[in-house]
Amino acid sequence: MRPNILYIMSDDHAANAISCYHSILQSVFQTPNMDRLYQEGCRMDAYCATNAICTPARASIMTGQYGQLNGVRTLGDKWNPETELNLARILKENGYQTAMFGKWHLGCDPEGFDDYQYLAKEGQGMFGEQGVYFNPSFKDKNNGYVLYEGYVTDIITNLTTNWIKNRKKEQPFFLMCHHKAPHDFWEYAQRHEHMFDDKTIPEPESLFEDRSHRSPATRDFGSSVTPRSRIRSLYYDFCKKDYVTGPLQGTEHMTYEEKGKAAYQKYLKDYLRTVAAIDDSVGKLLDVLEAEGILEDTVVIYTSDQGMFLGEHDYQDKRWSFEESLRTPLLIRYPREIPAHTNCTELMANIDIAPTLLDYAEISIPENMQGISCRNMIAGKPQEEYHKGIYFRYWMHLAHQHDNPAHYGVRTKDYKLTFYYGLALDAEGAVDKPTQPGWELYDLQKDPGELKNVYEDPAYYEIREELKGLLCELKEKYQDQDEAYVELQRTFEKYK
């Protein structure tokens, strides 16, 4: 019997904000329902977004391809769901009921779904696809725009559970539950108002990182007072009288560093409160599967579109390809073949989601999908192909005042090599202002916090050159060789 598939995905959820990932936040914040997926299934420890920003990540999940092939490299690109590589349509054509509720954010109506309601506001285009936390508007496949009263996470949960109860019980289903939370700005449900009373959130070691170890490509970015990537930039938003969760008060006479610490506390408390509602949602979804008698017959996945900085490196948001942004949580439960309470440390990328789910559904994987099925390794079994490294790329050079230079690189189990090429090229929304190129290399085993760039360290010369070879190999494999970008090729040759 082919399994049902329930794919739960949030927006900007850091692995560090799930208690079974055992970060410093575990002492003050728990996610018991997400943790249940780990206790009864598998926790992926090296699952990565190939482009740590929402729209491209979502397109890779639906197609099993990188953005240079599926056409979605930036937030300004729109996916064409009519493409032959559309996970939902492939499943539908092979006998699955399909539905999607929540955040879509691909610049188009969903295609391949029997039913959907996605966050959208009439006349606002992609801006409307972000949705709002309270009283959100959805676009219904059959009824146009619909306004709901209430909290967005709870509404998306109710839409999903109602569909499960009213599904065609003779068919397996593929169901996507896509939460808005914990995307900014972090408006939480009233029931979580007091969960951090009298609690102080632990600070990451790198909250005020000394960047002297970094390359010139990243060392000075964010050195001004208010770049949007920095934690301390949030201070100015939080102090506004009309800030959505109330203003930060009593900071007038604080030092610059004290203001940053105060902003960190508010950011984390608001953010984690929105995550708490998602954990409630996971619990309700598991309960309804159990009540329907289909929990054991359903592959249940919890994940995010990418990671998120929670103060590490003095950052918020994502886009940088340090671990907190690139590495993405993924928990999966399917007791018919996945042993309980297991960890998988093999490399996995979001281009692998579509092939893996097709494998669970016993559907042939299209040859032009660039990802691989990870079904066996999730179950602790050998498989034919593994990733030697995960290739990643961020195209939106300096976009949205976040000061993130364009870059690409490779992450292996032990190392990460990144080339900041600092050019807009023809990427939609990128800022045409070249920045200093440079390389960074991190030893993830000795330095998991990425606080010591060892690119110039002679002891790492052979590793560095080996990783450059792997990077070029993967760029060729994934058809991202930059043949159209002469300036980039010259930059690479000059700095390699």
Side-chain angles (χ1 to χ4, degrees):
M1 184 177 70
R2 296 193 295 172
N4 306 307
I5 300 169
L6 173 58
Y7 181 87
I8 311 165
M9 185 167 73
S10 56
D11 190 326
D12 296 350
H13 192 177
N16 285 340
I18 299 177
S19 47
C20 67
Y21 276 93
H22 303 305
S23 78
I24 59 170
L25 302 178
Q26 185 186 14
S27 63
V28 293
F29 181 70
Q30 289 77 44
T31 50
N33 296 301
M34 296 177 198
D35 291 358
R36 178 184 171 188
L37 295 176
Y38 172 43
Q39 293 297 329
E40 299 175 3
C42 181
R43 186 187 77 195
M44 303 302 295
D45 288 345
Y47 173 62
C48 300
T50 52
N51 184 344
I53 195 167
C54 302
T55 306
R58 291 163 186 265
S60 288
I61 287 162
M62 294 303 297
T63 64
Q65 288 185 328
Y66 281 85
Q68 68 273 9
L69 292 192
N70 65 35
V72 185
R73 303 178 302 175
T74 77
L75 292 175
D77 294 323
K78 297 180 179 181
W79 181 47
N80 176 12
E82 300 295 329
T83 175
E84 60 178 307
L85 294 184
N86 176 340
L87 174 62
R89 195 180 70 239
I90 294 170
L91 286 162
K92 178 178 169 61
E93 290 174 349
N94 284 272
Y96 271 73
Q97 299 172 81
T98 57
M100 194 285 300
F101 301 102
K103 183 170 179 176
W104 180 238
H105 202 194
L106 280 167
C108 61
D109 284 337
E111 193 273 333
F113 293 96
D114 296 310
D115 194 10
Y116 63 73
Q117 291 192 48
Y118 71 93
L119 286 165
K121 192 168 184 179
E122 191 168 9
Q124 289 195 355
M126 290 188 71
F127 292 102
E129 287 192 55
Q130 289 289 353
V132 294
Y133 275 100
F134 287 95
N135 303 329
S137 171
F138 289 73
K139 189 173 183 182
D140 186 304
K141 180 176 182 179
N142 301 308
N143 300 305
Y145 292 93
V146 180
L147 184 66
Y148 289 91
E149 291 186 4
Y151 187 62
V152 66
T153 303
D154 298 339
I155 293 164
I156 292 168
T157 303
N158 291 338
L159 291 172
T160 306
T161 56
N162 288 339
W163 188 90
I164 292 172
K165 293 174 184 176
N166 294 297
R167 73 193 189 283
K168 297 176 182 177
K169 293 182 172 55
E170 67 275 10
Q171 279 183 276
F173 63 77
F174 170 58
L175 175 57
M176 303 186 93
C177 173
H178 286 186
H179 288 294
K180 169 187 171 57
H183 193 281
D184 62 13
F185 285 98
W186 305 279
E187 295 183 71
Y188 48 83
Q190 186 63 38
R191 63 183 179 273
H192 297 126
E193 171 77 29
H194 299 291
M195 70 182 302
F196 292 112
D197 286 358
D198 303 319
K199 288 185 179 181
T200 300
I201 308 297
E203 296 175 357
E205 178 186 1
S206 58
L207 180 59
F208 298 118
E209 179 187 340
D210 176 358
R211 301 185 186 183
S212 60
H213 69 96
R214 292 204 192 175
S215 73
T218 73
R219 185 181 301 147
D220 297 326
F221 274 102
S223 59
S224 61
V225 174
T226 58
R228 290 186 63 199
S229 289
R230 299 193 78 178
I231 283 290
R232 281 172 281 194
S233 72
L234 289 175
Y235 170 79
Y236 299 95
D237 287 317
F238 291 161
C239 286
K240 295 175 181 176
K241 292 181 179 179
D242 59 348
Y243 185 72
V244 288
T245 60
L248 191 60
Q249 296 177 329
T251 64
E252 295 83 358
H253 302 294
M254 287 184 175
T255 66
Y256 182 55
E257 184 168 303
E258 288 171 339
K259 290 177 179 178
K261 289 176 177 286
Y264 170 79
Q265 289 295 318
K266 180 167 179 56
Y267 169 38
L268 265 290
K269 289 178 179 180
D270 284 3
Y271 178 96
L272 294 173
R273 287 182 181 111
T274 68
V275 172
I278 302 173
D279 192 66
D280 293 344
S281 172
V282 172
K284 291 177 181 177
L285 291 167
L286 292 174
D287 286 347
V288 77
L289 292 175
E290 198 158 24
E292 291 288 304
I294 55 173
L295 179 58
E296 306 306 294
D297 302 321
T298 304
V299 176
V300 181
I301 291 174
Y302 180 80
T303 188
S304 178
D305 48 3
Q306 74 277 310
M308 185 75 169
F309 290 104
L310 301 180
E312 303 88 358
H313 307 283
D314 189 17
Y315 290 150
Q316 57 104 358
D317 201 70
K318 50 267 183 183
R319 303 170 188 252
W320 295 100
S321 292
F322 292 101
E323 284 293 274
E324 294 81 11
S325 177
L326 187 74
R327 192 168 72 98
T328 306
L330 193 148
L331 306 168
I332 179 167
R333 181 194 188 279
Y334 184 46
R336 296 202 183 279
E337 63 178 72
I338 300 173
H341 202 198
T342 53
N343 299 57
C344 181
T345 60
E346 297 292 342
L347 295 168
M348 182 178 181
N350 55 11
I351 57 169
D352 301 326
I353 291 293
T356 300
L357 296 187
L358 292 177
D359 195 359
Y360 279 118
E362 300 177 7
I363 299 169
S364 297
I365 299 166
E367 291 184 2
N368 50 347
M369 281 190 174
Q370 294 180 305
I372 62 174
S373 172
C374 297
R375 178 179 178 179
N376 281 339
M377 74 183 198
I378 291 170
K381 300 175 182 178
Q383 59 183 46
E384 289 185 9
E385 185 178 3
Y386 294 87
H387 292 294
K388 291 189 291 184
I390 301 297
Y391 174 63
F392 56 86
R393 184 162 190 172
Y394 176 74
W395 292 82
M396 292 194 76
H397 183 63
L398 304 184
H400 307 146
Q401 299 178 310
H402 276 287
D403 284 353
N404 304 94
H407 59 270
Y408 57 68
V410 60
R411 186 205 191 275
T412 68
K413 285 186 176 182
D414 297 325
Y415 302 100
K416 183 186 293 173
L417 178 70
T418 307
F419 179 51
Y420 292 91
Y421 59 86
L423 297 167
L425 306 178
D426 58 355
E428 185 71 27
V431 177
D432 190 12
K433 180 183 176 183
T435 57
Q436 173 70 41
W439 291 88
E440 294 184 8
L441 171 62
Y442 294 96
D443 185 332
L444 299 177
Q445 296 304 310
K446 294 181 179 179
D447 177 29
E450 296 168 291
L451 295 173
K452 185 180 180 182
N453 172 29
V454 295
Y455 183 81
E456 300 290 352
D457 187 335
Y460 287 86
Y461 176 79
E462 290 185 6
I463 292 169
R464 182 182 87 187
E465 296 307 303
E466 181 181 330
L467 288 170
K468 284 184 182 177
L470 177 58
L471 177 59
C472 292
E473 176 187 327
L474 294 178
K475 285 181 73 65
E476 180 177 2
K477 175 181 179 179
Y478 295 123
Q479 303 174 53
D480 195 31
Q481 294 172 278
D482 295 316
E483 294 173 347
Y485 307 124
V486 175
E487 185 180 5
L488 175 51
Q489 290 180 334
R490 289 173 178 165
T491 301
F492 179 82
E493 290 298 320
K494 180 178 178 180
Y495 286 89
K496 74 174 183 179

